[in-house]
Amino acid sequence: MLEELEGEGHRTISSQGLAHQSGVTSAQVRKDLSYFGNFGKRGLGYGVTRLRKEIRLILGLNRRWKVALVGAGNVGSALYSYKEFRRQGFDIVGVFDVSPDRVGQRWRDLTIRHVDDLKEDAERIGMEIGVIAVPARAAQSVADRLVAAGMRGILNFAHRRIQIPTAVALRTVNLSIELESLAFAIKVLHAKPSPDGKRRRAR
C-alpha cells in the first residue's frame, strides 16, 4: 500500500488515510505504530517514504532473504514465477524435487536439484527460508529436511499441518480455507434484507 502511494507521488498520509486503506480505525493505526516509535507529526501525518522504510525494517524486509523452494510442480512453478517475491527481498536461490522428470531441468537461471542435495546446498548458499510446495503426504518429511538444513522459517503451501521445532517460524497458506472464507463473505454481502431493514441469511 505504501509503495503504491509513494509511486503515485504522495508525500504524506494521515492516520485516517492509513485506517481507510487497512480496514481499521485511525486510533488503532496510531496505537500500533506507537509501539515501534514516533513516525508521524500531529497535524501533518506520516511521511510515506519514511514510514515505508521503517515498516520494512520492523518486518525484517530491509535485507535480502535466500529461499529454498521444495516442489517443482504446478504450485512450485507458479511461486517461482511470482515476481513480487524478488521485489520484496525474497530470492528463490534453490529449487528441489524428487521426480526424475523434473530434477535437472532449468528454470531460468536455476537447475532443479534433487531434494537429497538440499542440506548441502542450503549450507553452501546460505538459505534461510524454506517453501513447501509438495503434495500433503510428503509435507512432513520435507519439513523435517528443511529443519535439518538449518532453515529459520518455513512457508507451507501443502494442505496438511506439519510439526516443526519451536525455534523455526512456520506459516501455512491454505488456499481452500481462504476461498471458503471468501464464499462466506459473498453470502453475507448478498443476504436479502428483511422487512425490518435487517439482512437475512441467504439460502
Side-chain angles (χ1 to χ4, degrees):
M1 176 186 69
L2 290 170
E3 289 185 352
E4 292 178 5
L5 291 171
E6 189 176 26
E8 293 169 0
H10 295 276
R11 298 183 63 183
T12 62
I13 186 170
S14 66
S15 58
Q16 186 71 35
L18 288 170
H20 177 73
Q21 296 278 352
S22 307
V24 297
T25 66
S26 57
Q28 188 64 53
V29 168
R30 291 192 295 271
K31 181 180 178 182
D32 289 347
L33 289 176
S34 69
Y35 284 123
F36 303 101
N38 182 19
F39 304 131
K41 293 182 179 179
R42 186 179 296 274
L44 296 176
Y46 301 91
V48 171
T49 298
R50 183 194 171 199
L51 185 59
R52 180 183 65 80
K53 290 179 179 178
E54 293 287 354
I55 289 178
R56 288 184 65 84
L57 179 63
I58 292 167
L59 295 176
L61 299 177
N62 59 321
R63 49 159 292 185
R64 309 297 304 181
W65 293 90
K66 294 182 179 179
V67 179
L69 170 63
V70 183
N74 292 332
V75 174
S77 176
L79 293 172
Y80 184 73
S81 299
Y82 186 52
K83 296 180 180 179
E84 191 68 13
F85 286 148
R86 182 177 292 274
R87 197 167 74 85
Q88 293 294 342
F90 300 95
D91 300 317
I92 297 177
V93 294
V95 181
F96 304 86
D97 206 286
V98 295
S99 171
D101 295 332
R102 295 172 182 156
V103 174
Q105 286 186 8
R106 292 284 295 181
W107 277 10
R108 292 201 298 273
D109 55 337
L110 290 180
T111 298
I112 299 173
R113 303 267 286 168
H114 195 280
V115 73
D116 287 346
D117 299 318
L118 172 61
K119 186 174 182 179
E120 178 185 342
D121 287 2
E123 293 175 351
R124 175 173 54 84
I125 300 173
M127 302 175 189
E128 298 176 272
I129 295 176
V131 176
I132 299 176
V134 300
R137 64 181 180 275
Q140 184 61 57
S141 63
V142 168
D144 294 341
R145 285 178 177 266
L146 288 168
V147 170
M151 298 297 146
R152 297 171 59 186
I154 294 175
L155 182 62
N156 174 34
F157 281 88
H159 293 174
R160 174 181 171 177
R161 294 186 66 177
I162 58 176
Q163 302 295 322
I164 62 172
T166 55
V168 180
L170 171 66
R171 295 293 181 271
T172 295
V173 179
N174 191 321
L175 299 179
S176 298
I177 291 178
E178 296 301 325
L179 283 172
E180 290 170 5
S181 176
L182 178 61
F184 177 74
I186 293 172
K187 182 178 179 180
V188 170
L189 283 173
H190 292 274
K192 296 180 180 179
S194 62
D196 60 4
K198 296 181 179 179
R199 288 188 176 273
R200 292 175 176 170
R201 262 193 274 176
R203 296 181 181 274

